[in-house]
Amino acid sequence: MDKILESIYKGILDGDQHLVAQQVPEALNAGLSPDLILKDGLIAAMSEVGRLFENGEYYVPEMLISARAMQAGLKLLKPGLADTGVKAVGRVVIGTVSGDLHDIGKNLVGMMLEGAGFEVIDLGTDVKPDAYVNAVREHRPDIVAMSALLTTTMPNMEAVIQALAAAGLRKQVKVIIGGAPVTEEFARKIGADGSAYDASLAVKVARSLLVS
Ligand code: B1M
């Protein structure tokens, strides 16, 4: 692995946000693509953090400082990831569902959608069904995008779809879902229009739903 990428990877594992914030611009200046830095540096390190947590070698505080370091790197990559310059192809309301505080994947999906020309309204984390309903009424998006990282919060995606239906808004929007535990089968089961296992696919699915 490239030396700078290795350093970014280690910076995330150590939760050293200052090192990451210093190394990401260096990697960009050295000509590494934002995509490569994201996949081989940031995302690879975060997967290792997950593995260490699962093995009982990392605890929540370590996960948290690693997540902060990742967010610091992600912020610096944003201009490079979101540089297609295409203007508003559609509007998306995005959030992490109720009970779930994981926002790195959701933020990444939001950034990539912005890069693809979508207007993105980010509701944050722990978003209750009513808040999605209110946001759809207020912003009239084309797409509602939901993220969940916990198996225990996945059912809350279905609750949002049901709340949209109860409010008479389901037919006005397409719904896409994603996050590590989400499968296509689950998406079909709860009545979502699409799902994606990563941020690039989320953009493709969102685009395809606008023309369908
Ligand atoms: Co938590 N956590 N966490 N965590 N955490 C996981 C998810 C876990 C898999 C770790 C593990 O056990 N290996 C596990 C879930 C187990 C399960 O449910 N099966 C877990 C757990 C158990 C918990 C707590 C319950 C721990 C505890 O308190 N005992 C707790 C829950 C808190 C809560 O939410 N209520 C908790 C807390 C936390 C922190 C707050 C410390 C921190 C989050 C900080 C933050 O987000 N600001 C954290 C972290 C960092 C993780 C791991 C290590 C990394 C997640 C991440 O950011 N990945 C994670 C382990 C892992 O995933 N390997 C873990 C990087 C990110 C780019 O990937 O989010 O998967 P991801 O997003 C991807 C795709 O999933 C997809 O695209 C993204 C880019 O490719 N995607 C979408 C995501 N959303 C999408 C939406 C789309 C489409 C695609 O369309 C709308």
Side-chain angles (χ1 to χ4, degrees):
M1 197 199 280
D2 187 288
K3 263 220 153 96
I4 311 181
L5 282 183
E6 226 170 79
S7 171
I8 293 171
Y9 182 95
K10 190 167 176 310
I12 297 215
L13 281 193
D14 294 344
D16 187 342
Q17 56 173 310
H18 300 294
L19 181 76
V20 175
Q22 182 213 336
Q23 293 289 294
V24 167
E26 273 195 31
L28 289 168
N29 287 338
L32 300 187
S33 75
D35 233 35
L36 183 74
I37 301 169
L38 177 67
K39 288 196 181 120
D40 289 4
L42 305 190
I43 291 184
M46 232 29 207
S47 305
E48 178 60 8
V49 170
R51 195 190 64 77
L52 291 167
F53 177 73
E54 235 167 86
N55 289 350
E57 291 172 58
Y58 268 24
Y59 297 93
V60 172
E62 284 89 355
M63 267 207 295
L64 199 54
I65 56 167
S66 289
R68 284 201 192 122
M70 167 120 187
Q71 302 268 30
L74 211 51
K75 217 164 80 187
L76 295 165
L77 284 183
K78 184 174 177 181
L81 291 171
D83 70 353
T84 58
V86 191
K87 276 298 139 227
V89 294
R91 186 177 293 160
V92 180
V93 158
I94 193 168
T96 302
V97 292
S98 182
D100 203 320
L101 302 175
H102 296 86
D103 67 355
I104 297 174
K106 183 260 300 166
N107 293 345
L108 191 53
V109 171
M111 274 181 206
M112 301 287 272
L113 285 168
E114 275 182 5
F118 284 88
E119 181 189 348
V120 175
I121 293 134
D122 189 344
L123 304 181
T125 59
D126 189 18
V127 183
K128 311 273 180 293
D130 276 1
Y132 281 100
V133 168
N134 291 337
V136 169
R137 282 208 182 101
E138 185 185 343
H139 300 288
R140 309 231 155 247
D142 304 286
I143 294 173
V144 169
M146 292 184 266
S147 181
L149 263 285
L150 299 170
T151 42
T152 48
T153 56
M154 283 167 72
N156 299 338
M157 293 174 147
E158 186 170 14
V160 173
I161 293 175
Q162 284 169 352
L164 288 171
L169 297 168
R170 178 66 185 93
K171 289 198 177 111
Q172 293 175 28
V173 289
K174 302 286 185 186
V175 174
I176 63 170
I177 64 171
V182 169
T183 61
E184 266 182 51
E185 190 194 349
F186 176 75
R188 260 195 308 275
K189 194 175 129 238
I190 67 167
D193 299 296
S195 68
Y197 56 80
D198 71 11
S200 317
L201 186 62
V203 171
K204 280 190 197 140
V205 173
R207 276 203 186 114
S208 72
L209 287 174
L210 283 194
V211 292
S212 67

